[in-house]
Amino acid sequence: MAVAIIPYDGKDPLKYLYRTIHSLHEMGLDIAIVDTSFFLYPPYVKRIKQRTQGIGGARYDGFTWALQQGYDCIINADSHLMFRGDLHNLCKTKTWSSTYHHPWIEKPIPLTFPTKIYASYVMHQDGKIMWCSVIDYKPKHPLPMTSEPLYAVKRDVLEQIVEWWKASTSYGLDNAALLFAPPGEIIPTIYYYHLGVLDRGKPLKRKPTDKDAELFITRIWPTAEQKILTFHESLPPQSRICFQMWP
């Protein structure tokens, strides 16, 4: 039994959200939206009132609700995604899984179609937090995390790490909780793209708060450093592209 959790902060136009909902509904997935709004959603959508601060907090509220409802596969999705393929395939993982998407990015990194981004990860380097995207993935080393917005986590894994979403709440670091999970995998039989990026021609500029950055550097990175560096160094330089996310 699978459910898709969508945090919605009102920044994306409703037309994006409704297209995402429709795409998920066509796959037969249960859908829950975490927000603070009074928008009307289709009757098959469950609304969860957000109580925890930030985008990571919204994910935490949605994930804990899904665990309470007994779902065995919880899919995270943003409010501006379109999909090709059946997201139920993500739930075939034993731990957690993601897939690739086609970017359309002018800044801060010049990537356009048909480049594929398979996953992204964050790392601490010389006092900076770097965001690195994997553009050629071969499973030589297990996937340590993804900062991308589409992934599925199995229930037993999510139960172990869900509290970390409440701790790290701002954009960019809101999925650092996956660093405390067993390794994940890429399931390339499906893909997705960002509706808003295609319309705007560039992504929204967001970065983590100073508080979340300090939490990552002092508490998360010391635990995850070896895992991330092993993965980072296993990738040929042409297979990854990084930019400074903070400060």
Side-chain angles (χ1 to χ4, degrees), residues 52-53 55-57 59-61 63-64 151 157-170 173-181 212 214-224:
T52 310
Q53 181 181 6
I55 182 64
R59 299 194 202 285
Y60 170 81
D61 290 342
F63 292 165
T64 52
Y151 54 84
V157 173
L158 186 60
E159 288 176 331
Q160 299 174 37
I161 64 174
V162 68
E163 291 296 320
W164 280 104
W165 271 281
K166 185 167 62 173
S168 189
T169 63
S170 62
L173 300 178
D174 49 301
N175 291 315
L178 291 171
L179 288 168
F180 297 95
D212 271 10
E214 181 181 359
L215 171 71
F216 178 79
I217 292 171
T218 59
R219 293 184 58 193
I220 297 177
W221 180 247
T223 301

Side-chain angles (χ1 to χ4, degrees), residues 121-134:
Y121 56 96
V122 290
M123 59 186 296
H124 179 227
Q125 186 178 67
D126 300 327
K128 305 170 184 176
I129 298 179
M130 308 296 293
W131 174 298
C132 298
S133 293
V134 182

Side-chain angles (χ1 to χ4, degrees), residues 10-64:
K11 293 181 180 179
D12 279 327
L14 281 173
K15 65 178 182 179
Y16 298 162
L17 176 61
Y18 289 150
R19 289 175 67 181
T20 301
I21 290 171
H22 178 70
S23 184
L24 293 168
H25 183 59
E26 284 190 324
M27 298 179 204
L29 287 164
D30 290 352
I31 304 167
I33 295 176
V34 185
D35 71 359
T36 58
S37 76
F38 296 95
F39 296 125
L40 294 176
Y41 300 130
Y44 53 81
V45 173
K46 169 68 177 178
R47 182 200 298 275
I48 301 169
K49 200 71 173 177
Q50 182 175 351
R51 302 184 183 280
T52 310
Q53 181 181 6
I55 182 64
R59 299 194 202 285
Y60 170 81
D61 290 342
F63 292 165
T64 52

Side-chain angles (χ1 to χ4, degrees), residues 57-237:
R59 299 194 202 285
Y60 170 81
D61 290 342
F63 292 165
T64 52
W65 172 86
L67 292 173
Q68 292 166 1
Q69 299 303 308
Y71 288 99
D72 56 19
C73 179
I74 296 86
I75 298 172
N76 181 81
D78 273 359
S79 56
H80 54 259
L81 303 182
M82 286 294 288
F83 315 97
R84 292 293 180 267
D86 188 349
L87 296 192
H88 285 96
N89 288 329
L90 292 177
C91 294
K92 295 178 180 179
T93 182
K94 294 182 179 179
T95 55
W96 64 271
S97 66
S98 186
T99 188
Y100 71 90
H101 71 282
H102 291 299
W104 195 295
I105 303 174
E106 293 178 354
K107 296 178 181 179
I109 48 179
L111 294 178
T112 58
F113 183 89
T115 302
K116 297 177 182 178
I117 291 182
Y118 289 89
S120 294
Y121 56 96
V122 290
M123 59 186 296
H124 179 227
Q125 186 178 67
D126 300 327
K128 305 170 184 176
I129 298 179
M130 308 296 293
W131 174 298
C132 298
S133 293
V134 182
I135 56 177
D136 182 21
Y137 176 71
K138 296 178 176 63
K140 182 178 179 181
H141 288 289
L143 192 65
M145 71 168 292
T146 186
S147 289
E148 300 299 334
L150 180 64
Y151 54 84
V153 187
K154 297 307 286 282
R155 177 185 181 85
D156 59 336
V157 173
L158 186 60
E159 288 176 331
Q160 299 174 37
I161 64 174
V162 68
E163 291 296 320
W164 280 104
W165 271 281
K166 185 167 62 173
S168 189
T169 63
S170 62
Y171 178 82
L173 300 178
D174 49 301
N175 291 315
L178 291 171
L179 288 168
F180 297 95
E185 60 182 319
I186 296 295
I187 298 179
T189 56
I190 52 183
Y191 74 92
Y192 66 100
Y193 58 89
H194 298 270
L195 287 168
V197 172
L198 291 177
D199 282 0
R200 292 188 297 265
K202 59 183 178 180
L204 292 173
K205 294 182 179 179
R206 298 170 178 166
K207 69 176 185 177
T209 64
D210 291 347
K211 179 181 178 181
D212 271 10
E214 181 181 359
L215 171 71
F216 178 79
I217 292 171
T218 59
R219 293 184 58 193
I220 297 177
W221 180 247
T223 301
E225 179 176 6
Q226 191 58 49
K227 181 188 291 189
I228 288 290
L229 289 181
T230 298
F231 180 74
H232 180 79
E233 292 167 2
S234 75
L235 298 171

